[in-house]
Amino acid sequence: MSLQCGIVGLPNVGKSTLFNCLSNAKAQSANFPFCTIEPNVGVITVPDERLNKLAELVHPQRIVPTTVEIVDIAGLVKGASQGEGLGNKFLANIRETDAILHVLRCFDDDNITHVDGSVDPVRDKEIIDYELQIKDLETIDSRISRVQKQAQTGGDKTAKIAYEVLSRYKEALEQGKAARTVTFETKDEQKIAHDLFLLTNKPVMYICNVDEASAVKGNAYVERVREAVKGEDAEILVVAAKIESEIAEFETYEERQMFLNEIGLEESGVSRLIRSAYKLLNLETYFTAGEPEVRAWTYLRGSKAPQCAGIIHSDFEKGFIRAEVIKYDDYIALGSEAACKEAGKMNIEGKDYVVQDGDIMHFRFNV
C-alpha cells in the first residue's frame, strides 16, 4: 500500500535534517534555500513493539515490519502560487502526497539563515497556508462558474450538490481557512469534495523543530503554534531534529536509549513522528504469524476482511471464504495459536468483518 506523507516547510527549517534522520536515503542538508531540488522519497519502517513480542513467541525465520513513505519536498517561499522560487514544482509534488508533515522552525540560531530574516513559526505557517489556499481557490474558481450554470439551468441534481460543495469551500478559503475545516454530511457531498483533491484538504501534522533544551517540554514558539492551530483538525509534534541526527549516529539500540535517557526522553522523536504519520494516513496494522515469518500488514482503517486479504495477494480477496482471527492480547497471554484455539479465542469471521488494529489473521480462500 503506497501512501505518502510529504515533509514541507520554508527553506532552512530542518526538513532535510529530519528526513535524513527518518530515512537511510541521505538528502543534501545545507545552510541555503532549495538544497532539496527533487523530492527525496524514503521508505520508513514503522516501530511496533507488538511485532517483536509476537516474534519472541513464534521464533520465525524472518520478521517483516510495515512501512510508510516519506517525501522530502523542496522549500516553499512567499509567492509560490504565482511560481516564485520553486513554487510550481513544490505545489505539484505536494499534490501527489496523501498527508502533510509541516515543519516549523521553533528555535533560535544566528548561524542558520532564515529566509525572512527572523524566527516566527506562526508567520511561516501562514505563508505556506496562504500559498496552498490561493492554489485551492484557483481550483474552485475554475469549476464553480461552470457548475453554477448547470445547477441553475439544467436541473442537474449532481451539479446542485457540487455547487453547494464548491461554494462552502470558496467561503472558507476566502476567510483564510483550510478546506479540511469544512465538513459534509452526505456521501454525495463527501465524494465530490474528495474528488477535488484540494491541497488544504489533506490531513496535516505540524512538527515544531526545537533546540535541545526544548526537546522535552517545548518552548514559547511551540505554544504560539498550539494557539494558532487550535481551530484546525491537526496534530502537533515537538521534535529536536539536531538531536535526532545525533541519535541516528549511534549504532546500537542501547546507546540510543542511554542518550535519550540523559536528555529526559523515553523514545526518539523520529519514532513518535513515524507512528504519528502512519495514523495521519488513517492506517492500521494486522499481523500474520507463522514459522516462516511474522509480518505486519498495512491497511486503511475500516477495511473489511476480504480487502485486507487482498493486500497479501489478489487471489485471497477473489476467493475469500473466511478469516480466522485472534486478538493480539489473547495471543500474547496464551502464547500460541494452538493455545488460543483450545481456549476458544480464535474467531471465525466472514466478509463483513471489519478488521481491528492488532488482529492476527489467517485467511481461507479458494480460487
Side-chain angles (χ1 to χ4, degrees):
M1 182 175 294
S2 183
L3 293 177
Q4 294 182 336
C5 282
I7 299 181
V8 306
L10 294 183
N12 292 355
V13 297
K15 301 184 311 300
S16 295
T17 301
L18 195 58
F19 177 83
N20 288 341
C21 299
L22 288 165
S23 173
N24 289 327
K26 294 294 181 183
Q28 182 186 4
S29 181
N31 184 25
F32 59 89
F34 312 129
C35 66
T36 305
I37 305 299
E38 297 298 332
N40 295 281
V41 181
V43 180
I44 315 300
T45 298
V46 178
D48 195 330
E49 188 57 32
R50 296 175 300 180
L51 189 68
N52 298 328
K53 288 185 177 179
L54 284 172
E56 288 173 6
L57 295 174
V58 178
H59 304 294
Q61 295 172 26
R62 63 175 183 159
I63 304 169
V64 184
T66 191
T67 60
V68 63
E69 289 188 7
I70 306 288
V71 187
D72 181 25
I73 298 173
L76 175 146
V77 294
K78 194 181 296 182
S81 56
Q82 279 75 50
E84 292 295 321
L86 296 169
N88 291 329
K89 183 181 288 290
F90 173 95
L91 293 165
N93 290 335
I94 197 173
R95 196 176 293 280
E96 293 171 3
T97 65
D98 301 286
I100 297 171
L101 307 178
H102 187 162
V103 182
L104 297 168
R105 177 171 169 175
C106 294
F107 65 90
D108 294 307
D109 189 334
D110 293 338
N111 295 318
I112 300 178
T113 305
H114 191 290
V115 71
D116 282 329
S118 62
V119 177
D120 186 340
V122 174
R123 176 203 59 207
D124 295 352
K125 169 194 174 304
E126 289 172 350
I127 288 172
I128 288 188
D129 285 351
Y130 176 79
E131 299 301 333
L132 299 183
Q133 287 163 12
I134 290 296
K135 209 66 184 176
D136 280 349
L137 266 173
E138 287 180 16
T139 300
I140 297 297
D141 287 339
S142 69
R143 300 190 188 195
I144 199 166
S145 57
R146 182 177 70 250
V147 171
Q148 185 178 18
K149 289 177 183 177
Q150 294 173 343
Q152 291 175 344
T153 62
D156 187 329
K157 182 182 176 183
T158 301
K160 288 180 180 179
I161 297 171
Y163 179 69
E164 175 63 24
V165 169
L166 290 164
S167 297
R168 289 186 61 192
Y169 273 144
K170 183 177 175 66
E171 181 182 2
L173 290 163
E174 287 179 340
Q175 292 175 0
K177 298 177 182 177
R180 63 181 167 273
T181 62
V182 182
T183 57
F184 299 100
E185 299 299 325
T186 71
K187 288 185 178 180
D188 288 339
E189 289 174 328
Q190 290 166 1
K191 184 180 187 311
I192 290 167
H194 175 268
D195 290 347
L196 289 170
F197 297 106
L198 298 179
L199 297 172
T200 63
N201 212 15
K202 296 177 185 291
V204 64
M205 176 166 59
Y206 294 103
I207 301 171
C208 294
N209 183 16
V210 300
D211 55 20
E212 180 175 345
S214 309
V216 178
K217 295 183 179 180
N219 56 29
Y221 289 131
V222 175
E223 292 311 309
R224 289 185 59 204
V225 173
R226 289 191 197 281
E227 183 65 22
V229 307
K230 66 182 182 182
E232 295 185 32
D233 182 17
E235 293 184 49
I236 291 180
L237 191 69
V238 177
V239 173
K242 188 176 180 182
I243 290 178
E244 296 298 323
S245 64
E246 294 174 15
I247 293 170
E249 296 298 320
F250 291 115
E251 293 187 4
T252 68
Y253 173 81
E254 288 73 20
E255 287 176 319
R256 290 193 291 272
Q257 285 303 120
M258 189 179 299
F259 182 85
L260 287 168
N261 292 338
E262 286 177 2
I263 60 175
L265 291 173
E266 292 183 7
E267 65 174 340
S268 73
V270 162
S271 293
R272 288 184 287 116
L273 196 161
I274 296 169
R275 281 203 302 274
S276 296
Y278 193 71
K279 290 179 182 177
L280 193 66
L281 290 167
N282 205 27
L283 300 177
E284 291 183 335
T285 303
Y286 75 84
F287 302 98
T288 52
E291 288 185 9
E293 69 176 23
V294 168
R295 183 165 184 154
W297 300 88
T298 298
Y299 68 95
L300 281 171
R301 185 182 297 122
S303 296
K304 294 184 178 180
Q307 296 169 285
C308 289
I311 294 167
I312 298 176
H313 195 286
S314 59
D315 284 350
F316 283 33
E317 183 173 7
K318 289 175 187 174
F320 179 88
I321 299 172
R322 66 179 184 273
E324 297 169 354
V325 183
I326 300 172
K327 297 301 176 184
Y328 171 80
D329 288 342
D330 290 335
Y331 200 109
I332 297 301
L334 296 172
S336 70
E337 180 179 317
C340 289
K341 267 187 190 176
E342 189 174 331
K345 295 296 184 180
M346 176 184 282
N347 297 324
I348 307 302
E349 304 289 356
K351 293 182 178 180
D352 291 330
Y353 176 68
V354 177
V355 176
Q356 303 298 304
D357 185 52
D359 279 353
I360 297 154
M361 313 283 291
H362 184 73
F363 299 106
R364 300 292 183 182
F365 71 102
N366 183 31
V367 176

